[in-house]
Amino acid sequence: MIAYLSGVVREVRDSSAVIVAGGVGYEVFCPASTLGKLAVEAPAELNIRHVIREDAQLLFGFSDADSLRLFDLLTGVSGVGPKLGLALLSAMPVSAIAQGLLTGDVKLLSSVSGVGKKTAERLVLELQNKVPDHLAAPVTPDGVRAAPVTSTAGRDAIEALLALGFREGQVRSVVAELLAADPAQSADALIRKGLGRLR
């Protein structure tokens, strides 16, 4: 089983990348967040989940261990295959998915193309007590995990920004980063600064 791949990016496609390692080109399916970090002719190091089927052997690659861990949790749920797992991880950050699972936010999860209400409910039911709390904390631009949004001001800011039509995953991540920088900020300040980042 392949668990890790280190090589040079030969090609970046819509949903996969070709990584050349040891003279062999491996097609690796990746979420958008990982594909966005890959560049042709640049070195790449990916955490791999090797899926063996009767008709194919597929590689799924992730730039960080948290994404792989959440992918494994998602695809461990009945009816959720690797493609749907990748769709979830491509639609929003790991922290937003984890927070949605922990808080039972079926609406957030079912907003992803291909995830119906019943599937979202099943994900919450099976994973709510399995998702590590730290996964719900967004990663700030300097690579540090911010604390998940629990303050009243933070929740109020999130609701206000969502009402303006911004995507939930982005909103939660931005508000969490702002609170990590200054936990005492008011909802008004968070909304104002959030608008500046989201526009």
Side-chain angles (χ1 to χ4, degrees), residues 8 21 103 118 188:
V8 175
T103 60
K118 287 186 178 180
D188 287 342

CSV table of all heavy atoms in Angstrom, one decimal, residues 8 21 103 118 188:
chain,number,residue,atom,x,y,z
A,8,VAL,N,8.0,15.0,-8.4
A,8,VAL,CA,7.9,16.2,-9.1
A,8,VAL,C,6.6,16.2,-9.8
A,8,VAL,O,6.2,15.2,-10.4
A,8,VAL,CB,9.1,16.4,-10.1
A,8,VAL,CG1,8.9,17.6,-10.9
A,8,VAL,CG2,10.4,16.4,-9.3
A,21,ALA,N,7.6,10.0,-9.6
A,21,ALA,CA,8.5,9.5,-8.5
A,21,ALA,C,9.2,8.3,-9.0
A,21,ALA,O,8.5,7.3,-9.4
A,21,ALA,CB,7.7,9.3,-7.3
A,103,THR,N,-21.2,20.3,15.3
A,103,THR,CA,-22.4,21.0,15.7
A,103,THR,C,-23.7,20.5,15.1
A,103,THR,O,-24.8,21.1,15.3
A,103,THR,CB,-22.2,22.5,15.4
A,103,THR,OG1,-22.1,22.7,14.0
A,103,THR,CG2,-21.0,23.1,16.1
A,118,LYS,N,-30.2,13.6,3.5
A,118,LYS,CA,-30.1,12.3,4.2
A,118,LYS,C,-28.6,11.9,4.5
A,118,LYS,O,-28.2,11.4,5.5
A,118,LYS,CB,-30.8,11.2,3.5
A,118,LYS,CG,-32.3,11.3,3.6
A,118,LYS,CD,-33.0,10.1,2.9
A,118,LYS,CE,-34.5,10.2,3.1
A,118,LYS,NZ,-35.2,9.1,2.4
A,188,ASP,N,-19.7,43.8,15.7
A,188,ASP,CA,-19.6,44.8,14.7
A,188,ASP,C,-18.2,44.9,14.1
A,188,ASP,O,-18.0,45.0,12.9
A,188,ASP,CB,-19.9,46.2,15.3
A,188,ASP,CG,-21.4,46.3,15.6
A,188,ASP,OD1,-22.2,45.5,15.0
A,188,ASP,OD2,-21.8,47.2,16.4
